[in-house]
Amino acid sequence: MTKQEFVAMVDEWHGILIDGRRQEHIVKKTGLLATSVLICACSSTLEEWVTINGISVTGEGANDVSTQCQNAILAKVERENIDATPQEWAEAMDVCMLSNGLVRKDDLYEYTPILVEATARRINSDVPVMVDDVTRLDLVENDRRTLRFYHTILDDLVEDINLEQFNHVVPKIVAKNSCSVRPTAVLLENDVVFRYFYFDAEGAKISDFDVDISDCEP
């Protein structure tokens, strides 16, 4: 079973809960393989887990999610008689934990492109949206560790804008806002670049600039 096949199972696993008697029955039926999964799932709670926003979680919270994932995978084993390697079991646990919003702290960098894509998809579900009285966010594009934000200034034309002042003031404001919000700060901390584009009311380009971790104050 490939990792892609495991990823495809996430929706099916998510939210599956079985009671203690059911779990005991599965353990007996699947034998040593299921027992090894139980050991793997329990030991994983000793690692440092964080939310996909980089916020630490308690051991109890991680254990609850781990147990839920363990039960879901064991149910899948019983239902479809899956034969997978220990590595695939570990990957299955990681994918299930990620579907519940948790990731190992050491793996956060690896998963960042997935979070970048999810961020773009989430924001695009709400665009166009006004970010202030005159600025509209129209689209967000993603590419691995880059997020591109396309804005329109609704009440100005490029020839009426003091570009020197715009390029001096706006990037600083945007960087401060990006660095101060934890979900975006985590992306910046994992080498994501935010690229901002601004256009005037007629679609002419006003300016563009990048924000990265170097723009965040210590």
Side-chain angles (χ1 to χ4, degrees):
M1 178 171 293
T2 67
K3 185 172 182 179
Q4 287 73 23
E5 289 173 321
F6 272 113
V7 171
M9 294 178 191
V10 169
D11 289 339
E12 187 171 354
W13 289 337
H14 187 72
I16 297 175
L17 293 173
I18 55 177
D19 62 30
R21 292 189 304 277
R22 181 72 165 166
Q23 179 176 331
E24 181 181 0
H25 169 70
I26 292 172
V27 170
K28 288 179 179 178
K29 182 171 182 178
T30 56
L32 293 176
L33 181 58
T35 303
S36 68
V37 176
L38 287 170
I39 293 172
C40 175
C42 291
S43 64
S44 70
T45 63
L46 300 177
E47 301 182 42
E48 187 172 2
W49 291 88
V50 296
T51 69
I52 58 175
N53 290 334
I55 301 172
S56 297
V57 296
T58 64
E60 181 180 357
N63 185 65
D64 288 344
V65 177
S66 179
T67 299
Q68 177 178 330
C69 287
Q70 166 193 297
N71 290 341
I73 294 172
L74 289 175
K76 187 79 173 179
V77 167
E78 182 188 49
R79 185 168 61 253
E80 298 188 9
N81 194 27
I82 294 174
D83 183 16
T85 67
Q87 180 179 351
E88 288 174 327
W89 281 111
E91 290 175 350
M93 280 298 298
D94 284 352
V95 171
C96 185
M97 295 289 280
L98 184 61
S99 76
N100 284 274
L102 299 183
V103 62
R104 289 187 180 91
K105 186 175 182 180
D106 292 343
D107 291 340
L108 188 58
Y109 187 88
E110 176 186 351
Y111 282 111
T112 299
I114 298 174
L115 304 183
V116 167
E117 181 180 356
T119 298
R121 186 167 56 248
R122 184 178 66 250
I123 296 175
N124 281 330
S125 67
D126 294 326
V127 298
V129 61
M130 299 298 295
V131 297
D132 59 35
D133 291 342
V134 299
T135 309
R136 184 183 69 206
L137 175 62
D138 297 309
L139 175 68
V140 179
E141 294 179 338
N142 65 281
D143 180 18
R144 294 289 294 168
R145 296 182 188 274
T146 301
L147 278 167
R148 295 186 290 269
F149 300 83
Y150 295 87
H151 299 81
T152 298
I153 306 296
L154 297 176
D155 64 349
D156 267 319
L157 298 179
V158 64
E159 57 264 28
D160 299 323
I161 296 174
N162 184 326
L163 295 181
E164 182 177 356
Q165 183 179 11
F166 184 98
N167 289 324
H168 178 71
V169 173
V170 174
K172 292 181 179 179
I173 295 174
V174 172
K176 181 178 180 180
N177 291 338
S178 299
C179 297
S180 63
V181 178
R182 187 56 188 163
T184 54
V186 167
L187 295 178
L188 292 169
E189 290 166 3
N190 285 277
D191 292 341
V192 174
V193 174
F194 294 172
R195 187 158 292 153
Y196 293 88
F197 297 85
Y198 289 85
F199 299 87
D200 70 9
E202 294 183 347
K205 186 177 177 181
I206 298 171
S207 182
D208 68 89
F209 57 86
D210 290 353
V211 171
D212 59 32
I213 191 60
S214 67
D215 296 301
C216 298
E217 295 181 2

